[in-house]
């Protein structure tokens, strides 16, 4: 067991029962030439998460943690795309349409894939999800339970959308979640800040919030209070 300094109080990490879950670090959300940028968003607000996430990913891999990656997207035939999701936003180029890096949020397209900096290693599960939450219509819960995972360290984008939805789903399924503050990001700084506060409020109503530095320190085998 290792203690992670966190809000609202320290988190007892048990690495064999913990997974690092990296949400939707996809080219279309993060790269300057992607769908998110084409909608007028400032992707630098998301890109600041890449370096700390890479550091945390390296440390989690070295510590032998389960690492799971997710991607938001749909089948090429769009059979799993709810009409309401397709229509939302009244976009001239929306999900399934040609975008700057292939068809927008369609599996197999360049923009749908994970950024090279955080690319999954062979053996690390990738969850392809049609919704905002990573549990909805996926096998994530089964994979975690089959591995005896009960604690999730959560990184990714965006804080108030797919990260929040996933953490809320996980919380209701009995998982303890630690959201890594500098490894999650939003196109809207105020939503990011409030989103993090909402996680840890009321005694940790949805989970914990910690810095990547605090999580890395807890994963270091020789750190005071560290694991092993
Ligand atoms: N992954 C995720 O958060 N998908 C979104 O659509 N986020 C937005 O903030 N739009």
């Amino acid at each position: 067991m290792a203690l992670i300094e966190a809000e609202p109080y320290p988190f007892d990490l048990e690495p064999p029962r913990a997974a690092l879950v990296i949400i939707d670090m996809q080219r279309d959300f993060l790269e300057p030439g992607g769908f998110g940028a084409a909608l007028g968003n400032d992707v630098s607000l998301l890109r600041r998460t890449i370096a700390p996430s890479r550091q945390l990913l390296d440390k989690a891999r070295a510590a032998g943690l389960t690492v799971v990656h997710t991607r938001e997207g749909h089948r090429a035939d769009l059979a799993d795309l709810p009409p309401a999701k397709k229509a939302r936003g009244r976009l001239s180029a929306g999900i399934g349409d040609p975008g700057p890096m292939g068809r927008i949020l369609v599996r197999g397209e360049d923009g749908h894939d994970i950024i090279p900096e955080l690319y999954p290693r062979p053996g690390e599960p990738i969850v392809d999800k049609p919704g905002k939450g990573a549990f909805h219509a996926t096998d994530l819960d089964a994979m975690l339970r089959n591995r005896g995972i009960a604690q999730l360290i959560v990184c990714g984008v965006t804080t108030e959308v797919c990260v929040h939805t996933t953490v809320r789903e996980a919380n209701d399924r009995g998982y303890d979640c630690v959201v890594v503050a500098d490894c999650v990001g939003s196109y809207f700084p105020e939503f990011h800040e409030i989103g993090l506060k909402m996680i840890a409020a009321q005694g940790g109503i949805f989970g914990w919030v910690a810095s990547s530095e605090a999580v890395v320190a807890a994963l270091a085998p020789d750190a005071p209070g560290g694991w092993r």
Side-chain angles (χ1 to χ4, degrees):
M1 206 128 88
L3 270 191
I4 300 177
E5 195 52 50
E7 294 293 335
Y9 50 84
F11 181 82
D12 288 326
L13 180 70
E14 298 177 61
R17 300 176 66 232
L20 176 65
V21 179
I22 306 179
I23 307 283
D24 299 1
M25 293 292 277
Q26 291 163 258
R27 298 184 62 198
D28 253 338
F29 293 130
L30 285 124
E31 293 198 348
F35 174 50
L39 291 175
N41 295 301
D42 175 4
V43 293
S44 72
L45 293 165
L46 269 50
R47 294 190 65 79
R48 63 159 184 76
T49 65
I50 298 174
S53 297
R54 176 68 217 212
Q55 218 176 10
L56 180 52
L57 176 58
D58 287 345
K59 190 61 78 170
R61 283 170 170 162
L65 248 65
T66 288
V67 177
V68 178
H69 307 260
T70 75
R71 298 184 295 204
E72 180 177 352
H74 297 275
R75 296 164 48 102
D77 62 8
L78 305 183
D80 61 349
L81 175 61
K85 184 175 180 182
K86 170 70 179 163
R88 196 71 54 81
R90 298 176 172 173
L91 302 173
S92 53
I95 297 170
D97 297 328
M101 291 195 286
R103 290 178 68 202
I104 295 164
L105 294 191
V106 169
R107 295 174 193 157
E109 301 288 341
D110 289 345
H112 172 265
D113 210 357
I114 292 171
I115 57 169
E117 295 90 333
L118 301 176
Y119 210 76
R121 278 193 184 158
E124 293 176 352
I126 301 173
V127 174
D128 277 319
K129 61 190 190 59
K132 302 305 180 193
F135 288 85
H136 169 68
T138 72
D139 51 11
L140 176 60
D141 190 54
M143 281 199 290
L144 296 174
R145 289 189 195 280
N146 290 340
R147 291 175 185 226
I149 302 291
Q151 302 181 331
L152 307 183
I153 300 168
V154 184
C155 300
V157 298
T158 62
T159 311
E160 78 281 12
V161 183
C162 292
V163 171
H164 241 266
T165 306
T166 298
V167 167
R168 289 170 185 235
E169 287 180 327
N171 184 57
D172 277 348
R173 285 164 174 77
Y175 296 92
D176 281 329
C177 295
V178 182
V179 176
V180 189
D182 50 325
C183 295
V184 297
S186 168
Y187 299 125
F188 303 92
E190 68 274 31
F191 293 170
H192 172 78
E193 290 303 325
I194 291 291
L196 291 179
K197 285 190 174 143
M198 289 167 70
I199 300 286
Q202 301 185 66
I205 195 86
F206 297 126
W208 285 256
V209 176
S211 67
S212 62
E213 193 184 6
V215 180
V216 164
L219 285 172
D222 46 2
W227 184 45
R228 283 195 262 247

